[in-house]
Amino acid sequence: MAQWTQMKQLIPYLATQILNELYSPSFPMDVRCYLANWIEEQRWEDFEPEKVDQEPQALTLLDQIISCLQNLAGQNPNVVERMRLQRISRNMNMFRSQPFQLVLTVRDVLRKERELLSQASTQFPALARFSQPPAQDSMAAAPPTRDVDLLVLKVLEIQDCRQQIHQLQEELNWERQNYESMQGTLQQTQTNGMDPSMSEVTKLQTNIKQHEYNGQVIAKKRVQLLQEAVSSLEKCQSRLINRIKAWRWEQHQATIGHPFDDNLSPLQTWCEQLLGVNGKLRQEVMLAGEPIPELQERLGRLLQTLIQSSLMVDKQPPQVIKTQSKFSTTVRYLLGEKVAPGKPVLFKAQIITEAQARNLGQLGSLPSENVGELINNTAILEHNTSGKSTCATFRNMSIKKIKRADRKGSESVTEEKFALFFTTEISITGCDIPYRIQMISVPVVVIVHGSQDNNALATIIWDCAFSEPERIPFLVPERVPWKQMCRTLNSKFMSEVGTQRCLDNYNQHFLAQKIFDKPDIAGDYSNMLVSWAQFNKGFHLWDYSIGSIEHNNCVSWCFPSSRLIFGFIGKQHLHLILKDRPNGTFLLRFSDSEIGGITIAYVAPSENGGQKIQNIQPSTKRDLEIRSLGDRIQDIDFITHVYPDLPKNDVFRKYYTDNPLPRDTTSGYLVVSIQTKVGVEAHCDSPQRSETPQDNNSAFYSMDQGNGASASPFYSLSPNNQFQPPFQLAPVPLQGGMYPDPLSNPNGLFPGPDM
């Protein structure tokens, strides 16, 4: 019921008219809600208007809907709900004459729901995480126990037929023996001239014919049940394979922040159940008396597919791997408890190229060329009794060397994708032959230096975000619409920062400016195409900015309800945000000139009595290592309220780390502290008194509001102060009442070695 779960998130945002059109009186929302799980397990897409021969199947579904509603009504203790369910079940009888209309209605409702969910990201940004159309076989639900239960019941019915045939055969053998015995008696009686009684002989003949007929009927029914059971097994296993693929796809998408449930236990249970059903059906086919080669072949193919599809990469390798660095990965076999005891199962891993991955379409084909040397590339399949899982874990694996493919044009090594290829031979209890199983990991990029990390990560994000589920490895589009890019950035940001709030319009506009390299971009640019090259170039701004807040423990500041870090916003939008705020109002944003820097923009009085927006020189990762962002905010007295109107000390006090300066009793010195000084604050009463012309490299940037001709920074880099940083050592008296002057003593902070 994954689709209905997502629809419940979306319904509060939908207009009443849309809901009325979606859930009509003939198929009310009540039915969709009460039978959500059952509805999403049925194959509504198989029905087409022109296929009139499907009407019996449609009638069966209608009967099941009515039966489910009546059962729910009988079990519901609430009188009002019970009466409503009974009324709905009676109303569903209107489809008796046209059951095909019902299944088409349900099919269209599910299609419209998926369409609404796909549009949710643009119309309802808060629902971005629910915007992807759910697969019909979503991993959110447990295995469809109803399907498996029906299969088990069919197997029991087949076994019962076999027992009936066996019992009839025993009775038939007994009757025939009596008939043959009576035949001898009759011949002897006729020889002696006696008149035999034919009534018992006739009765025996009748019984024999009846037993033979009954046996033929039951045998025919048994073959029919076998055919139905194998067909049901094929459908059920097809849904299992789709869910396995969905799990792998969701695992891949988790790289960009999509929600992912990594629990494999439901899938393992489902695999084991179908393996058991397959084994019983193969046994029943063998005991059928006459060979049924068609069913034997179908069951054999199903068995092979199940055994070879049950291998999962439970823990993927890191998707950016540096040569000579250690990493680990784990494969899990969902049929591990069915592995035949005896010789240990040894898994082997090797690294393969994108071209080699494409040639693995047929099971059994192995890469002919070794393109990389893997250290510690073997692992034993081991069963964990407590966790009921069977895994092979590759520990301390590393890539010693890698062979690169020939590159075309401007292609970089960080755009080349590889994968790990896992393979082994396995024997399953009850199977005559061993099977070769294999699986590849998600794409990885191999680098040799940390400087390549950003470009490699951009390759991985593009691959995860814009690849298709059933693609040829590892094809991705060269361009995608900006709105699709926004969904990816939203999901990635929410995941990395740990927030439920999306990037807003200001954030998205700023990122669009950077990626498209158009500072004046405006209007509707949602359908503009972003190329891989543009994304790769602009990803540095994103990664360094997010990395900055993560490295400096500012994750909890970004986009919570108090919105302490505004994030991605251009200078031109600061006027719109801060234009009506009082002096001293400030916000924190990512710098658009210093990649990875965080700057403070605030409202200050201008020289003509108006207001202007000032931007303090960005604090880089290195700056924030020297003095934290919280302490820097505390140092600057003239910023008082964080946007929109929160007193800064109330909000940031818990991030202040300064303590009273203790005296160093061992050396006799007072401990020196670092404090943030903005502009010429260290030499003037207030930063607003400066009238020095602006310099683009100064520690202060200004943007006048209301008077575009006026722009005055707080100081420029003249020869006398060009080495002055945006923070200064606070002068503290040393022994003898001396004050250090870093400008008057270029050789050091202290006057001489005697100090």
Side-chain angles (χ1 to χ4, degrees):
M1 54 185 296
Q3 183 167 315
W4 178 246
T5 301
Q6 298 184 55
M7 278 302 298
K8 287 192 294 186
Q9 304 284 338
L10 180 60
I11 282 174
Y13 296 87
L14 297 177
T16 304
Q17 182 180 354
I18 295 177
L19 292 175
N20 290 337
E21 293 174 354
L22 183 60
Y23 305 109
S24 62
S26 60
F27 185 73
M29 188 186 296
D30 307 65
V31 178
R32 181 69 178 95
C33 178
Y34 283 116
L35 304 183
N37 192 25
W38 181 87
I39 287 173
E40 293 180 30
E41 288 179 359
Q42 309 311 310
R43 302 178 67 86
W44 307 100
E45 292 294 333
D46 291 348
F47 290 91
E48 295 295 339
E50 61 273 9
K51 296 181 180 179
V52 292
D53 58 320
Q54 294 178 325
E55 188 162 318
Q57 302 173 35
L59 186 58
T60 301
L61 289 173
L62 172 61
D63 290 337
Q64 292 176 356
I65 289 177
I66 294 174
S67 176
C68 289
L69 290 171
Q70 290 174 346
N71 290 338
L72 287 172
Q75 299 169 7
N76 200 316
N78 187 302
V79 178
V80 176
E81 290 187 11
R82 184 165 65 246
M83 296 295 292
R84 184 167 67 250
L85 286 168
Q86 289 174 349
R87 185 181 71 255
I88 293 172
S89 66
R90 287 194 299 269
N91 292 340
M92 297 301 290
N93 281 301
M94 63 179 284
F95 288 107
R96 285 283 179 195
S97 59
Q98 294 179 313
F100 211 73
Q101 182 181 345
L102 170 67
V103 296
L104 294 180
T105 299
V106 179
R107 184 200 65 179
D108 292 342
V109 166
L110 295 175
R111 286 180 177 178
K112 290 175 183 176
E113 286 181 352
R114 289 193 288 271
E115 183 180 352
L116 287 170
L117 288 169
S118 68
Q119 297 171 355
S121 61
T122 54
Q123 296 183 14
F124 311 103
L127 299 179
R129 304 191 76 170
F130 302 98
S131 62
Q132 295 297 325
Q136 197 153 358
D137 295 59
S138 172
M139 284 304 306
T145 54
R146 178 178 172 277
D147 287 354
V148 178
D149 289 344
L150 289 175
L151 269 173
V152 172
L153 289 175
K154 277 190 181 296
V155 172
L156 292 174
E157 192 174 357
I158 293 168
Q159 292 173 338
D160 183 61
C161 286
R162 175 168 52 82
Q163 292 170 0
Q164 289 181 40
I165 292 172
H166 181 72
Q167 185 177 352
L168 281 171
Q169 188 63 48
E170 289 182 341
E171 293 177 0
L172 184 60
N173 292 340
W174 177 257
E175 295 287 353
R176 283 174 176 170
Q177 184 179 351
N178 287 341
Y179 178 76
E180 291 173 0
S181 176
M182 188 167 287
Q183 284 286 89
T185 303
L186 286 174
Q187 291 175 359
Q188 185 178 359
T189 303
Q190 290 175 348
T191 303
N192 295 333
M194 298 177 63
D195 185 17
S197 172
M198 298 299 294
S199 60
E200 290 191 16
V201 174
T202 304
K203 183 179 179 181
L204 283 174
Q205 289 176 332
T206 303
N207 288 344
I208 289 172
K209 290 180 180 179
Q210 186 64 45
H211 286 332
E212 288 176 343
Y213 175 77
N214 291 343
Q216 292 172 356
V217 171
I218 297 175
K220 185 177 180 181
K221 178 183 177 182
R222 184 170 179 271
V223 171
Q224 183 179 353
L225 287 173
L226 277 169
Q227 291 174 337
E228 292 176 357
V230 173
S231 296
S232 297
L233 179 61
E234 287 173 335
K235 293 178 181 179
C236 192
Q237 184 166 310
S238 176
R239 289 193 281 275
L240 167 64
I241 300 302
N242 286 338
R243 288 204 180 179
I244 288 176
K245 291 178 180 178
W247 189 94
R248 291 171 179 156
W249 174 246
E250 291 168 9
Q251 184 191 47
H252 189 204
Q253 294 284 286
T255 302
I256 55 173
H258 284 203
F260 170 57
D261 181 4
D262 62 355
N263 182 18
L264 280 170
S265 296
L267 280 177
Q268 178 173 313
T269 301
W270 197 357
C271 287
E272 292 169 349
Q273 290 172 334
L274 294 192
L275 181 66
V277 169
N278 189 297
K280 291 177 181 178
L281 288 176
R282 284 185 289 118
Q283 183 181 30
E284 291 300 321
V285 170
M286 290 175 60
L287 296 173
E290 296 182 3
I292 312 177
E294 182 222 348
L295 294 184
Q296 290 175 333
E297 291 177 7
R298 289 166 66 186
L299 287 170
R301 287 195 300 268
L302 286 171
L303 178 65
Q304 180 178 358
T305 301
L306 181 62
I307 290 174
Q308 293 174 332
S309 300
S310 298
L311 181 61
M312 314 290 284
V313 184
D314 191 10
K315 179 188 175 185
Q316 293 284 353
Q319 289 193 259
V320 177
I321 303 176
K322 185 180 178 182
T323 54
Q324 308 295 336
S325 63
K326 294 180 180 180
F327 63 93
S328 65
T329 183
T330 301
V331 294
R332 176 171 173 176
Y333 193 54
L334 301 182
L335 293 175
E337 293 189 359
K338 309 299 180 182
V339 174
K343 184 180 178 181
V345 178
L346 180 68
F347 272 92
K348 182 179 179 181
Q350 70 179 96
I351 191 162
I352 60 175
T353 65
E354 183 172 340
Q356 289 174 323
R358 294 178 186 177
N359 293 330
L360 295 175
Q362 294 183 347
L363 289 168
S365 61
L366 297 175
S368 57
E369 182 184 6
N370 193 356
V371 298
E373 184 178 345
L374 276 177
I375 308 299
N376 298 324
N377 66 329
T378 59
I380 299 292
L381 188 67
E382 298 175 319
H383 183 66
N384 183 344
T385 306
S386 60
K388 295 183 178 180
S389 61
T390 306
C391 301
T393 300
F394 297 81
R395 299 179 178 88
N396 299 319
M397 186 185 287
S398 66
I399 300 176
K400 185 176 181 180
K401 60 181 180 180
I402 191 73
K403 181 180 179 181
R404 304 281 184 183
D406 294 334
R407 294 187 295 278
K408 300 177 182 179
S410 60
E411 286 182 348
S412 165
V413 295
T414 58
E415 298 178 44
E416 186 176 3
K417 288 176 276 190
F418 297 88
L420 295 186
F421 176 67
F422 306 96
T423 183
T424 192
E425 196 171 79
I426 202 162
S427 297
I428 300 295
T429 303
C431 299
D432 300 331
I433 59 173
Y435 291 87
R436 175 164 292 279
I437 58 176
Q438 60 190 46
M439 180 54 56
I440 64 172
S441 71
V442 294
V444 302
V445 175
V446 181
I447 62 174
V448 297
H449 194 275
S451 62
Q452 299 171 318
D453 188 74
N454 272 310
N455 292 99
L457 186 56
T459 298
I460 292 302
I461 290 178
W462 186 276
D463 182 271
C464 292
F466 309 122
S467 58
E468 296 294 333
E470 300 291 339
R471 65 168 172 177
I472 299 172
F474 298 111
L475 292 182
V476 288
E478 184 62 29
R479 289 176 173 79
V480 296
W482 170 250
K483 59 184 177 184
Q484 190 176 351
M485 173 65 69
C486 271
R487 285 199 293 267
T488 297
L489 296 179
N490 259 327
S491 182
K492 184 70 174 171
F493 182 83
M494 293 164 69
S495 173
E496 289 194 6
V497 177
T499 177
Q500 295 299 315
R501 298 190 64 165
C502 306
L503 298 169
D504 62 19
N505 291 334
Y506 292 117
N507 305 141
Q508 294 179 16
H509 189 271
F510 176 82
L511 291 170
Q513 288 178 318
K514 294 302 176 182
I515 286 181
F516 290 117
D517 195 20
K518 293 183 177 181
D520 57 346
I521 189 171
D524 182 13
Y525 48 87
S526 60
N527 291 318
M528 289 180 62
L529 295 179
V530 183
S531 69
W532 153 245
Q534 288 172 319
F535 172 74
N536 189 29
K537 180 180 178 181
F539 182 73
H540 291 269
L541 169 66
W542 167 276
D543 191 57
Y544 279 117
S545 298
I546 301 302
S548 177
I549 63 173
E550 289 179 336
H551 179 82
N552 294 287
N553 300 317
C554 300
V555 168
S556 60
W557 298 21
C558 210
F559 290 86
S561 56
S562 56
R563 201 171 185 138
L564 302 186
I565 293 182
F566 200 91
F568 299 103
I569 183 171
K571 293 179 183 178
Q572 70 274 28
H573 281 139
L574 290 176
H575 283 289
L576 299 176
I577 295 295
L578 298 175
K579 65 179 181 179
D580 297 324
R581 312 314 303 175
N583 293 342
T585 303
F586 71 98
L587 59 78
L588 303 172
R589 67 180 186 90
F590 299 134
S591 172
D592 55 356
S593 58
E594 181 75 37
I595 294 181
I598 297 178
T599 188
I600 299 174
Y602 76 100
V603 182
S606 63
E607 292 76 4
N608 60 3
Q611 289 182 322
K612 58 185 175 183
I613 308 300
Q614 300 279 50
N615 286 272
I616 298 176
Q617 180 173 304
S619 298
T620 64
K621 174 182 173 181
R622 175 61 178 159
D623 296 332
L624 298 178
E625 287 175 350
I626 297 173
R627 186 159 181 78
S628 72
L629 186 56
D631 290 336
R632 288 170 180 267
I633 292 171
Q634 181 186 20
D635 292 340
I636 306 173
D637 294 332
F638 50 83
I639 57 173
T640 58
H641 288 73
V642 64
Y643 176 84
D645 56 1
L646 303 174
K648 77 170 183 181
N649 289 331
D650 293 350
V651 175
F652 289 102
R653 182 176 286 110
K654 59 183 176 182
Y655 302 110
Y656 299 160
T657 60
D658 279 357
N659 296 314
L661 296 177
R663 182 180 181 86
D664 187 345
T665 56
T666 58
S667 64
Y669 294 110
L670 290 177
V671 177
V672 175
S673 70
I674 297 175
Q675 288 186 333
T676 306
K677 299 296 181 181
V678 179
V680 292
E681 186 182 13
H683 306 290
C684 304
D685 293 337
S686 68
Q688 286 77 19
R689 294 173 56 183
S690 171
E691 297 179 358
T692 311
Q694 182 174 2
D695 185 284
N696 289 333
N697 295 318
S698 69
F700 230 120
Y701 304 104
S702 79
M703 293 190 299
D704 274 301
Q705 180 173 323
N707 186 357
S710 174
S712 61
F714 288 85
Y715 73 92
S716 60
L717 293 180
S718 63
N720 293 329
N721 63 8
Q722 59 182 334
F723 297 106
Q724 182 177 356
F727 59 87
Q728 296 179 348
L729 293 175
V732 181
L734 306 176
Q735 284 185 342
M738 299 179 64
Y739 285 83
D741 185 353
L743 297 179
S744 62
N745 181 19
N747 296 321
L749 178 63
F750 303 104
D754 293 339
M755 295 299 292

